[in-house]
Amino acid sequence: SKSLSDEENLKLFGKCNNPNGHGHNYKVIVTVRGEIDPVSGMVINLTDLKEYMQEAIMKPLDHKNLDKDVPYFAELVSTTENVAVFIWENLKKLLPMGTLYKVKVYETDQNIVVYKGEETI
């Protein structure tokens, strides 16, 4: 985080605190919901969903240094939580309204973030 000292970054981010960056092979699972089309038997055509995921996830993020190559993260820490929000926001623009239910991002097998958009309590 640019707003923290080197010591604070080390304490907060541990081994992920590397001034030269570090990489992850994220795994993303997208869940949709809605009425099942009686003809196709699907909520959304899987070919369409794959294209939306390519546009919203792979194109802007794949093989990129998130902090340097993705404008969204220029002033925002590229945590897995913020990656999940980024993916949600991009997918929501492409998917039919109301069909996006959940974005699940695996940073590792033990570090997983689930995001369902902004929920009001």
Side-chain angles (χ1 to χ4, degrees), residues 23 33 43 77 81-82:
R33 67 177 174 185
V43 171
V77 181
E81 292 86 346
N82 285 331

Side-chain angles (χ1 to χ4, degrees), residues 11-22:
K11 184 177 180 182
L12 183 61
F13 297 110
K15 71 178 184 175
C16 290
N17 175 52
N18 184 337
N20 297 317
H22 67 283

